[in-house]
């Protein structure tokens, strides 16, 4: 599903240029559940942003399925994200003035789907993550784990091919973190590819494959048998 060929990315500030990714070659198969690990500054977030079509790369090729993701306009990039990708963030990124179901339904608003249909589908996905009875609550009325479940439901509502999760358990306690990872495992079992950036080894061990980044390059991979 995903193929990166010699991806390079640099940032320039003033007179200085920092090369963050130094020739990334990577393949992620359809239906895989992988984690990306590395120390601060290793390039994890930059790599995830490129995978999520949130940032451009300087050279190389990125294939999303049979689509070459390169030199896209903002409109083209937004369309690809909306069609193929779901996102989950450490800080949840929920609108505080919207209810849980309204947050889940937000991607459908941008697809111009009628409100009643948006709500019906949002309630279905809230039920899937165990939060149907909290549908009318605001994010401030929910625990951190509940807010992350709302964010996961939101990422699923467009039926994406792949979910990208950036430190999704970073703000949660260990028990809640493991329940969130179990939810990702269940989602992955339905055939959705999941890519998770984490700095927590116990979280990474819950995925099928760990990709290690160091100084902008991939180290030899550690792979375990699928626990499923």
């Amino acid at each position: 599903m995903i193929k990166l060929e010699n991806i390079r990315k640099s940032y320039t500030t003033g007179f200085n240029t920092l090369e963050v990714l130094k020739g990334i070659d990577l393949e992620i198969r359809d239906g895989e559940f992988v984690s990306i690990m590395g120390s601060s500054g290793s390039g994890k977030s930059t790599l995830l942003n490129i995978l999520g079509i949130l940032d451009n790369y300087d050279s190389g090729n990125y294939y999303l399925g049979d689509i070459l993701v390169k030199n896209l306009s903002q409109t083209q990039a937004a369309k690809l994200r909306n069609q193929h990708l779901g996102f989950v963030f450490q800080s949840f990124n929920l609108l505080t003035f919207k209810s849980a179901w309204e947050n889940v339904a937000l991607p459908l608003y941008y697809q111009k789907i009628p409100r009643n249909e948006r709500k019906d589908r949002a309630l279905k996905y809230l039920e899937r993550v165990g939060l149907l009875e909290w549908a009318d609550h605001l994010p401030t009325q929910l625990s951190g784990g509940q807010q992350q479940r709302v964010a996961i439901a939101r990422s699923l509502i467009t039926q994406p091919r792949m979910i990208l999760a950036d430190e999704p358990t970073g703000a949660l306690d260990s028990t809640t973190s493991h329940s969130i990872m179990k939810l990702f495992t269940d989602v992955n079992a339905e055939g959705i590819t999941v890519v998770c950036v984490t700095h927590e080894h116990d979280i990474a061990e819950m995925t099928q494959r760990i990709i290690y980044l160091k100084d902008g390059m991939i180290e030899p991979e550690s792979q375990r048998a699928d626990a499923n």
Side-chain angles (χ1 to χ4, degrees):
M1 177 187 186
I2 284 179
K3 185 175 183 180
L4 303 183
E5 299 175 334
N6 196 27
I7 295 293
R8 294 180 177 272
K9 176 67 177 179
S10 299
Y11 293 102
T12 300
T13 54
F15 296 103
N16 299 316
T17 298
L18 175 64
E19 190 175 23
V20 181
L21 299 180
K22 304 173 182 178
I24 298 292
D25 293 305
L26 175 64
E27 289 191 25
I28 298 175
R29 298 183 299 275
D30 275 319
E32 269 202 286
F33 186 4
V34 305
S35 52
I36 300 173
M37 297 194 74
S39 60
S40 178
S42 62
K44 301 188 304 296
S45 293
T46 299
L47 177 58
L48 198 72
N49 286 340
I50 289 173
L51 290 176
I53 322 178
L54 297 169
D55 199 357
N56 296 316
Y57 52 94
D58 299 331
S59 62
N61 294 306
Y62 167 23
Y63 292 94
L64 178 59
D66 57 0
I67 302 167
L68 176 59
V69 180
K70 197 168 194 175
N71 301 323
L72 302 179
S73 68
Q74 288 188 354
T75 300
Q76 290 171 322
K79 184 177 180 181
L80 272 184
R81 285 194 299 269
N82 212 16
Q83 287 178 339
H84 299 288
L85 306 175
F87 297 89
V88 180
F89 303 95
Q90 177 178 347
S91 56
F92 318 132
N93 285 15
L94 302 178
L95 298 179
T96 57
F97 56 90
K98 296 283 189 182
S99 68
W101 81 258
E102 288 173 318
N103 270 283
V104 173
L106 195 60
L108 303 182
Y109 172 82
Y110 296 112
Q111 293 182 357
K112 304 187 186 306
I113 291 174
R115 179 179 172 86
N116 286 343
E117 184 180 345
R118 295 202 305 269
K119 184 171 184 179
D120 287 345
R121 288 171 62 176
L123 294 178
K124 170 187 171 185
Y125 280 93
L126 280 173
E127 182 175 23
R128 182 173 173 182
V129 299
L131 287 179
L132 182 58
E133 62 189 87
W134 298 86
D136 292 315
H137 287 65
L138 296 173
T140 53
Q141 298 171 309
L142 304 175
S143 68
Q146 288 173 323
Q147 290 184 63
Q148 194 60 294
R149 286 176 178 270
V150 171
I152 291 171
R154 180 184 59 193
S155 76
L156 292 171
I157 199 166
T158 57
Q159 299 178 307
R161 297 171 62 184
M162 176 170 65
I163 289 179
L164 300 170
D166 192 1
E167 298 281 3
T169 62
L172 307 175
D173 62 72
S174 60
T175 300
T176 306
S177 294
H178 282 250
S179 70
I180 291 298
M181 290 302 290
K182 174 62 167 61
L183 184 53
F184 279 128
T185 300
D186 293 342
V187 167
N188 174 249
E190 297 176 9
I192 297 175
T193 306
V194 181
V195 180
C196 174
V197 164
T198 183
H199 66 277
E200 302 168 276
H201 287 276
D202 61 326
I203 295 300
E205 287 296 330
M206 296 179 71
T207 68
Q208 296 166 5
R209 180 159 62 108
I210 304 173
I211 298 163
Y212 293 97
L213 283 186
K214 183 176 182 180
D215 298 329
M217 301 183 71
I218 294 179
E219 291 192 307
E221 295 178 359
S222 173
Q223 189 167 0
R224 67 171 177 82
D226 185 351
N228 295 328

